[in-house]
Structure formats: structure tokens, C-alpha cells
Amino acid sequence: MTDYQIDTDALLAKHRKLALGLKTITSAEKMAARSFELYGPTNIADWAKWLGRSKNFPARSQLGQVVQAHQQLLSNYGVYGWLQILLTSAVYQYQRDLNTAGRTADATYLSRQHVDDICRLGTHVVLNYGAPTVANRQLLAHFMSGNYARLIERVLPAVGQQLEQELSVEALERGADSVFRRPQQALNLSIVHELDLRAMDADEPVNEDGFAYWPSSIKPKAVSTLAEAQQQMIHELTMLTRALQDDSVPTPWDDDALVRARLEATMGVAWASQCLSPHPEIASDEHRELYIEDLVSRVEQIQDRGILGTISADMFQTRQLVEDAATEEPATLMLYERAQRQSVDNAAWVLFNWVPDIQTAGFLAQLLLDYHFDAFFDELEKISNL
């Protein structure tokens, strides 16, 4: 028995249940719920939801083919093999599009979006079906960070070695089947390059446990309470603001890699990407200044509300925007929902890195990533009253 324990039988059972339900379910809500329970906040679950909303019953057979394709990989290669095959193929396609078409091409953006989607799938599966072991927690952190390069080059192959389930080149190529891109194509997603995320590198500074890089030069000896975490975050946000504004800042904040890593830890991966490396179509001095103002504002919010209160307010506002857009055209509502997804990703990553108790951090992240917002707000209130 290894530390990489996951409930494969439960996943296979849910695949069979969903496949059968696509032929018989008449409730759009039930179809969406079953899809989300299995795939989490991904394009597959989105497609199931939109098929129900649009009453597009003929397209259910296509969704059934996607579900069956995932089930087949899961049956043949196990959970970790399934995720490795999907992510490796997605990354290779993204790299091809990036090399041939460039970063500004629509194809490159959509391929990158697919990579992010598979990382969300991995996050959902490990968080909801994996045993609470140290190894799975580290793997979860890698998926949550979206560090695809490290995952496919080092982490997932190492898992396969430990499980004695190393994959051949032919097996890895199975994820290139176009059926796995069908949800994205069926949704006919519009191109919104503001959501573009940076490329990552397997050699990027990162802690071995998968969490954001936190070198000993700035890491305090102990951050064991939320109050201590709050003071440390305020200090880091202040130094990050100086690093982005000033030509000369004290060591080690003059290190670009450190600045990026700590921006990700304090504000989220997507936020840091848009601040430091925005898509060329939107990059500007005004854009950069806007993000620096966000840093300053975040310090004031944390001083006033604390870390949990600040994140709670962010989530409440984001959720309200989606609810207010419910009567808009489907394409408009989908854009709001995609923006909410990225806000949730950011908040969950910050919580996972900063809440001192890892069990509490994981539970809060799970509630957020599974969109259990009411339960999330209730849990924050309980913690605040302790």
C-alpha cells in the first residue's frame, strides 16, 4: 500500500451512473449535479449544465461518448494514469500551438485553457476522492498551482513509478483523442485573453511539497495562528508593492522569481499572472498600475477584516455578480461564470497556503472549489467566533 490511495471504484461507479443517467434523466439539475460531482468545475460539467439549460437532448449522446472515453482511460490506467495521460497530451498540444502560432493566437489560448481545465480536474479528483495522506496533499498542491510542467515531467511519472504503473509513449498519446476537447468545442467558448495565464517551467522555484515557494530568507520561524499569518501577509504585500514600484528594493525582494512566487501565494496564480505577464493585447502601464493599486487595497482590507474576512468578501461579491447576470444572454452569463471560477481558484490557493492548520485549509479550499458557498461562509463564521 502506498500513500497514493484514491477511491477508484467510486469514480468508476459514478461514471457508469452518469453514462446511464444521460439516457434516462429528464432533470437538467440532476444531470448537472452528477457531472459536477464527477468532474468538478471543468468544461465537461459546464457542458452538461448547458445541455440541460438549452434542452439540447440530442447532444447528450456526444456527452455520453466523452464520459465513456474518460471511463475507459480510468479502467485501463487507474486514476493517476488517467490524469497523467490527459494532462500530458493537453500540455503537448498547448506547446505545439504556442510554438507554431504564438501566444496571441486563439488556438494557443484555447489549448492553454484546456491545460488549466485538466489541472482543475486533477484538483477535484484528488481533493474529493483521494485519501488524506501527505503524498496526496502534495499532489493536490501541484494541481492547484496549475504547474503543469512539473506535474508531467516529474511528479506524475514519479507516482507511476511508485505504483509500478509507468506509462508508455503509446498510452500517453491516448489523451490526444479529440473526444477530450469536445466539451470545450461544444461550448463554443469566446476568446477572452484577459484570462490568459503564464507559461510555467518545471524548474520554477517551488517547495517540494507543492506549495508556493517560501524561502527561509523571508519565512518566519513559526506562523501557527491566523493572526501571525495576517501580519506576515501584510508584510509581504507591502514588500511586493515596493518591489513592483521601486527600482531598488532590499534583498531578497529584488529577485523576480521570489516576487512572482509570493504574489501567487498572497493573491492567487491567475492574479499574479495578469499582473506580471498580462496578455500582449491588454498589457499596458495602466493595467500594471491597476494591479499595484489592488495590492495596496488588499493590505487595507486585511488590516480591517483579516485574511478570512477579506476572502469571504471577495467570494460574496463574485458570487453576487454571477447571480445578477442570471437573466443575461447565455454567452454573457458564461463569461461571468468563468471569471468566478478563476476567482475561486485564486482564493482557494491563498487559503491553502496561508491557513496554518492544513486540515482546515484543505476543508475550506474544498468547499470553495466545489462551489459550496453557503457552507463556506458558515464555516468562516464559525472559525471567526473561536
Side-chain angles (χ1 to χ4, degrees):
M1 184 67 70
T2 73
D3 284 339
Y4 294 106
Q5 302 169 39
I6 206 153
D7 197 342
T8 308
D9 291 339
L11 281 165
L12 285 171
K14 290 181 186 299
H15 270 93
R16 289 190 290 268
K17 184 178 180 180
L18 177 59
L20 178 63
L22 289 173
K23 301 175 183 178
T24 59
I25 291 176
T26 56
S27 166
E29 290 76 16
K30 185 177 290 187
M31 187 170 74
R34 285 188 183 179
S35 301
F36 190 95
E37 183 181 28
L38 183 51
Y39 298 112
T42 63
N43 284 334
I44 309 171
D46 281 348
W47 190 22
K49 177 176 65 179
W50 285 97
L51 285 178
R53 286 181 179 178
S54 63
K55 308 298 183 183
N56 188 350
F57 297 109
R60 285 188 180 186
S61 62
Q62 291 186 322
L63 177 57
Q65 292 169 11
V66 173
V67 173
Q68 186 177 27
H70 281 282
Q71 181 179 336
Q72 193 64 53
L73 284 185
L74 181 59
S75 300
N76 292 345
Y77 303 102
V79 177
Y80 299 104
W82 168 48
L83 296 174
Q84 185 180 356
I85 288 169
L86 291 174
L87 185 59
T88 302
S89 294
V91 169
Y92 286 170
Q93 181 61 54
Y94 167 62
Q95 290 173 335
R96 283 194 293 269
D97 288 337
L98 181 63
N99 292 335
T100 58
R103 186 182 174 194
T104 59
D106 289 354
T108 304
Y109 173 76
L110 291 173
S111 290
R112 174 61 215 234
Q113 190 181 63
H114 184 55
V115 171
D116 295 335
D117 215 44
I118 301 301
C119 285
R120 288 189 180 101
L121 174 62
T123 297
H124 175 79
V125 168
V126 177
L127 190 60
N128 285 277
Y129 297 94
T133 62
V134 172
N136 272 339
R137 189 178 70 217
Q138 293 176 353
L139 184 60
L140 173 63
H142 283 293
F143 272 119
M144 283 183 70
S145 75
N147 194 328
Y148 61 82
R150 183 174 290 266
L151 275 165
I152 68 166
E153 292 181 25
R154 300 179 188 172
V155 178
L156 289 173
V159 174
Q161 276 188 329
Q162 184 171 340
L163 297 176
E164 298 182 351
Q165 297 175 355
E166 296 178 75
L167 298 175
S168 65
V169 173
E170 292 76 14
L172 290 173
E173 289 176 347
R174 293 182 180 273
D177 192 316
S178 60
V179 70
F180 298 112
R181 293 291 294 269
R182 189 173 294 168
Q184 187 181 46
Q185 295 161 352
L187 288 170
N188 192 25
L189 296 177
S190 58
I191 309 300
V192 185
H193 288 300
E194 289 86 342
L195 304 182
D196 179 68
L197 298 183
R198 66 185 177 88
M200 290 191 182
D201 190 282
D203 294 319
E204 176 190 22
V206 66
N207 290 332
E208 286 302 315
D209 58 9
F211 290 83
Y213 179 54
W214 204 354
S216 57
S217 57
I218 66 168
K219 189 173 183 178
K221 292 182 179 179
V223 176
S224 58
T225 68
L226 275 170
E228 291 170 345
Q230 176 177 322
Q231 291 307 310
Q232 179 64 21
M233 183 183 280
I234 289 172
H235 168 70
E236 290 195 20
L237 286 167
T238 302
M239 297 308 298
L240 288 167
T241 303
R242 285 186 59 185
L244 293 175
Q245 288 179 319
D246 301 341
D247 293 331
S248 61
V249 290
T251 304
W253 296 100
D254 54 352
D255 181 347
D256 291 343
L258 173 65
V259 169
R260 180 180 290 280
R262 299 317 299 164
L263 269 179
E264 291 176 357
T266 53
M267 300 294 286
V269 176
W271 189 99
S273 170
Q274 293 169 36
C275 174
L276 296 174
S277 185
H279 193 277
E281 291 183 4
I282 62 170
S284 65
D285 290 340
E286 290 80 9
H287 181 95
R288 183 178 176 84
E289 287 300 319
L290 177 65
Y291 276 84
I292 292 176
E293 289 174 8
D294 281 350
L295 280 181
V296 176
S297 174
R298 178 56 53 122
V299 170
E300 296 171 350
Q301 292 171 21
I302 292 173
Q303 288 174 329
D304 183 41
R305 299 172 174 169
I307 295 175
L308 297 184
T310 298
I311 290 177
S312 176
D314 289 345
M315 288 300 95
F316 185 85
Q317 183 179 32
T318 303
R319 183 190 187 192
Q320 190 64 49
L321 290 173
V322 173
E323 291 179 351
D324 291 345
T327 57
E328 300 286 345
E329 292 294 320
T332 301
L333 176 56
M334 190 180 298
L335 289 177
Y336 276 100
E337 290 181 342
R338 285 165 58 196
Q340 174 181 258
R341 176 170 301 170
Q342 200 160 68
S343 294
V344 166
D345 288 348
N346 280 341
W349 184 235
V350 173
L351 287 171
F352 208 54
N353 277 275
W354 282 95
V355 174
D357 179 64
I358 190 63
Q359 300 297 331
T360 301
F363 181 51
L364 292 175
Q366 184 173 21
L367 291 176
L368 261 188
L369 293 167
D370 285 348
Y371 286 17
H372 297 318
F373 294 116
D374 289 337
F376 173 74
F377 295 137
D378 289 344
E379 197 64 29
L380 290 189
E381 187 173 352
K382 292 177 187 176
I383 295 172
S384 301
N385 291 332
L386 292 178

